[in-house]
Amino acid sequence: MILITGGAGYIGAHVNKLLNNSGYETIVLDNLSKGHKSAVKWGDFVNADLSDSEKVREIFQDNDIEAVMHFAAFSSVAESVEEPEKYFKNNYENTLNLLKIMKEFRVRKFIFSSTAALYGIPKSIPINEDSELKPINPYGESKLMVENLLKDESDFGGLKYVSLRYFNAAGADLDCEIGEGHDPESHLIPLVLDAALGRRDSISIFGDDYSTPDGTCIRDYIHVNDLADAHLKALQYLEEPFNDSNIFNLGNGNGFSVKEVVDTCKKVTGIDFDVKIEERRPGDPDILIADSKKAEEILGWKPQVTELEDIVESAWNWHKKIHV
Ligand code: UFG
């Protein structure tokens, strides 16, 4: 049995589906503060908060947990700047609690949702795992604290972990059973699709004076199913007794500018909408592109949905399904 914390959230739900389709049994723990119960279509479900040690212990007591995949976290950079303590509590302290309980029950395999936000403003592109870790916001800082803790637990406490540093997760399940839905929404692609559906009057581009060819920020959009596949491969990696703890970047290796994303959304939807150029959003690096060669070499992972059009199309199919 695999415990998936945050399995009612965007990425966790896609991983839950893939694990079940690959023959694993899962149990999802989620407090539904951000996730959706309707996204937990596979495995068992427990509505619990990671700070509730008794309830978390019960899960370990009642189930034969082989490994934990830990998605439960807050993930809005902007919110983390306004309420840092919330991020350190939920993202760091609750992980500390979870790891403590795992140790009590001798569960030693852990897969962690990490982030490109650890790299802050990178010195060179593409970014590999050895690049300097210098988060520029509390969200990234809280995730870095967990990575440091994992390293110590692995070096001295017998933990075997894989930390997966996601770049920009995007798109939706190709069968359209689950997808992205944050409230409030802050991510580019769903916001642009909202503009296409007339759920917003326009889309704002935050800054067009960055050091990029068209002046807008470049990001590496990685399809959520490809992220899910990396989790499955990370689990299989940890199941091999001689493999050590490890850290992998997950991106598709292609960068797309905000303007390219907006134009692709117009093309895929066939709908025109207003685009406004606004001030820069604080804390946005010019360019983030992953070097994911390590995951390719060691996990045998290779992203499958790499065309921006295909990523946007999957997101669009889901968006229409839930909003039309
Ligand atoms: N953007 C706009 N207009 C919008 C929303 C976003 O122009 O209405 C721009 C942003 O300024 C940025 C790009 O679109 O340049 C992508 O923004 P997102 O908010 O979709 O994603 P981020 O790159 O800011 O954040 C993502 C994850 C974070 C993670 C970060 C790591 O959502 O959890 O990558 O860099 F920390």
Side-chain angles (χ1 to χ4, degrees):
M1 179 78 87
I2 310 298
L3 173 63
I4 305 180
T5 76
Y10 172 42
I11 302 170
H14 286 78
V15 172
N16 187 31
K17 175 176 179 177
L18 180 64
L19 289 186
N20 279 273
N21 286 348
S22 308
Y24 286 91
E25 286 185 307
T26 61
I27 180 162
V28 166
L29 175 158
D30 203 298
N31 65 5
L32 300 181
S33 68
K34 301 277 177 189
H36 308 277
K37 173 72 177 61
S38 58
V40 189
K41 296 188 159 106
W42 306 269
D44 296 338
F45 174 69
V46 178
N47 186 340
D49 194 284
L50 280 174
S51 62
D52 184 349
S53 300
E54 280 323 299
K55 217 159 174 185
V56 177
R57 275 200 188 91
E58 258 171 45
I59 296 175
F60 282 86
Q61 236 138 30
D62 297 346
N63 299 278
D64 187 12
I65 309 283
E66 176 206 335
V68 176
M69 293 200 181
H70 181 41
F71 299 90
F74 292 142
S75 64
S76 158
V77 170
E79 187 184 50
S80 80
V81 173
E82 280 170 19
E83 296 175 85
E85 70 292 344
K86 203 170 141 179
Y87 276 69
F88 289 110
K89 174 148 192 8
N90 193 33
N91 295 4
Y92 178 72
E93 213 175 285
N94 285 347
T95 307
L96 190 67
N97 206 32
L98 173 64
L99 287 166
K100 201 174 125 215
I101 295 170
M102 282 178 61
K103 203 182 244 171
E104 281 170 33
F105 287 87
R106 296 190 179 81
V107 178
R108 304 317 282 140
K109 298 189 192 92
F110 191 74
I111 296 176
F112 179 57
S113 291
S114 191
T115 168
L118 259 56
Y119 299 114
I121 298 172
K123 289 208 177 82
S124 62
I125 298 290
I127 306 165
N128 67 28
E129 293 81 357
D130 297 326
S131 304
E132 191 181 7
L133 303 179
K134 232 179 168 182
I136 53 168
N137 51 59
Y139 166 67
E141 199 63 59
S142 69
K143 291 278 180 174
L144 178 57
M145 282 171 71
V146 175
E147 279 211 6
N148 288 336
L149 172 66
L150 293 176
K151 185 174 181 312
D152 284 345
E153 283 291 339
S154 173
D155 287 350
F156 310 115
L159 184 76
K160 282 272 178 83
Y161 77 94
V162 168
S163 184
L164 298 173
R165 295 179 182 158
Y166 316 150
F167 282 63
N168 286 58
D173 171 40
L174 301 181
D175 304 327
C176 233
E177 289 187 285
I178 40 179
E180 187 168 11
H182 301 102
D183 187 20
E185 189 52 75
S186 67
H187 292 104
L188 180 64
I189 293 175
L191 286 173
V192 179
L193 296 178
D194 271 347
L197 278 184
R199 299 181 76 239
R200 320 167 46 90
D201 294 338
S202 61
I203 184 76
S204 299
I205 292 184
F206 299 140
D208 67 349
D209 56 352
Y210 285 93
S211 302
T212 60
D214 68 18
T216 65
C217 290
I218 292 179
R219 293 288 177 275
D220 180 330
Y221 295 89
I222 176 79
H223 195 273
V224 65
N225 277 359
D226 284 323
L227 288 184
D229 182 44
H231 287 76
L232 173 62
K233 291 191 159 66
L235 179 60
Q236 291 163 344
Y237 170 90
L238 286 181
E239 284 169 351
E240 293 295 328
F242 298 112
N243 282 339
D244 288 331
S245 296
N246 223 327
I247 295 175
F248 302 100
N249 279 347
L250 299 177
N252 96 39
N254 293 311
F256 300 99
S257 74
V258 176
K259 271 191 182 151
E260 282 174 311
V261 171
V262 171
D263 289 345
T264 304
C265 289
K266 287 189 175 179
K267 189 170 166 209
V268 167
T269 62
I271 301 170
D272 199 12
F273 45 84
D274 282 348
V275 179
K276 292 185 177 142
I277 306 295
E278 309 251 3
E279 290 295 298
R280 287 182 175 206
R281 195 175 67 173
D284 273 336
D286 299 50
I287 306 179
L288 291 174
I289 300 175
D291 175 344
S292 309
K293 274 195 218 82
K294 190 176 166 195
E296 291 187 18
E297 281 164 17
I298 297 180
L299 296 180
W301 173 79
K302 204 166 171 52
Q304 302 298 313
V305 190
T306 53
E307 295 297 324
L308 184 59
E309 243 179 86
D310 297 332
I311 294 175
V312 168
E313 195 174 340
S314 71
W316 177 231
N317 290 338
W318 169 252
H319 219 75
K320 279 187 297 188
K321 181 174 166 177
I322 51 167
H323 294 304
V324 176

